[in-house]
Amino acid sequence: MASPSARRRQQSSAASSMILKEGYLCKKGGVIKSWSRRYFVLNHQCLCYFKRALNSAEADSGLQPLGRVFLSDIVDIETEGVEKKRAFVFSLNTKKRGVLLQASNYDDKEKWVDAVRQALETDKRAEREDPFRRTLRKLKSGLKRVTLMKDPVKGIGCTIKSAAGHVLVNRIIEDGPIAQTGVLRPGITHTHTPRKQLGNFTFAKLP
């Protein structure tokens, strides 16, 4: 029987290319400083985490993650001396906080750190090479930029409506680009889509 990750990758080449790495890590709580085992999925936008690995029905329905760390918020990755009492811990540091994660062994830790670093490099390279993306870096404080690959059948993967100059996500389409990445949710207000570019759509997302 195929694993949840294998089933998701079989759904479409466009969607599967968004998943860079996935698997279990332990995460230290931000308020209650306890460690919990969570299932993490890294894509080109963010690192999402769920309570457990998704079954096929949950993956198809676009189950929302418990939380996420946007790549654009990460300023550095700390890999040494993060936790004295725990091994194989690394920290994804943002301007506001550090997200502490623990891998099961040294090799797994190195693979996760390398995957996040490569995703960050890809994002930085895109910033340098795409003048349109550079202009979006000037978004007001608190906004997130989210870029989605358009699916030839399901589009960007949601229905939307416009109100007071903003775009509201009405419904997430199962197995569409938004459901696969988990970066947008129904009912959240987003600034108007700046423009369509090479089959991709870019949103400025209100947190």
Side-chain angles (χ1 to χ4, degrees):
M1 185 175 180
S3 67
S5 62
R7 283 192 292 267
R8 283 203 296 279
R9 288 190 173 90
Q10 290 167 358
Q11 289 168 358
S12 73
S13 59
S16 66
S17 65
M18 296 178 183
I19 299 176
L20 305 177
K21 184 171 174 58
E22 57 188 325
Y24 280 102
L25 292 167
C26 287
K27 177 184 177 296
K28 189 172 184 178
V31 178
I32 301 176
K33 304 300 181 180
S34 59
W35 291 84
S36 301
R37 191 169 182 254
R38 298 288 181 250
Y39 192 78
F40 284 79
V41 178
L42 174 66
N43 58 51
H44 291 287
Q45 307 288 339
C46 60
L47 180 65
C48 304
Y49 57 92
F50 303 83
K51 188 173 183 179
R52 52 177 171 74
L54 308 183
N55 59 41
S56 58
E58 291 168 334
D60 291 345
S61 67
L63 180 70
Q64 291 300 313
L66 296 175
R68 54 177 68 80
V69 182
F70 281 88
L71 295 179
S72 58
D73 288 339
I74 299 174
V75 294
D76 69 12
I77 305 175
E78 192 175 354
T79 60
E80 300 296 334
V82 180
E83 281 280 299
K84 294 182 179 179
K85 295 182 179 181
R86 283 181 174 251
F88 319 127
V89 175
F90 60 99
S91 177
L92 304 181
N93 296 330
T94 70
K95 292 180 179 179
K96 295 183 178 179
R97 66 190 181 106
V99 180
L100 272 63
L101 305 172
Q102 182 185 30
S104 57
N105 55 60
Y106 178 80
D107 287 342
D108 191 38
K109 171 188 170 182
E110 290 297 297
K111 288 177 180 178
W112 272 107
V113 170
D114 287 346
V116 175
R117 281 178 173 160
Q118 289 176 21
L120 289 171
E121 272 303 310
T122 299
D123 188 63
K124 290 177 181 178
R125 185 165 57 250
E127 295 285 1
R128 294 192 299 266
E129 296 174 354
D130 188 342
F132 178 59
R133 283 173 62 100
R134 286 200 298 272
T135 63
L136 288 176
R137 296 180 68 180
K138 300 176 182 178
L139 293 172
K140 294 179 181 179
S141 177
L143 291 177
K144 305 289 186 188
R145 185 186 60 243
V146 177
T147 302
L148 300 166
M149 179 70 71
K150 181 182 178 183
D151 184 273
V153 177
K154 298 182 179 180
I156 59 174
C158 72
T159 61
I160 59 176
K161 64 181 180 180
S162 181
H166 296 281
V167 172
L168 278 71
V169 174
N170 237 2
R171 182 175 67 87
I172 304 296
I173 298 173
E174 292 185 4
D175 195 27
I178 290 178
Q180 288 289 331
T181 60
V183 294
L184 302 181
R185 302 192 303 276
I188 301 298
T189 303
H190 306 80
T191 63
H192 202 71
T193 307
R195 77 175 186 186
K196 175 183 173 183
Q197 188 184 44
L198 299 177
N200 295 340
F201 287 79
T202 301
F203 289 84
K205 174 182 177 296
L206 294 170

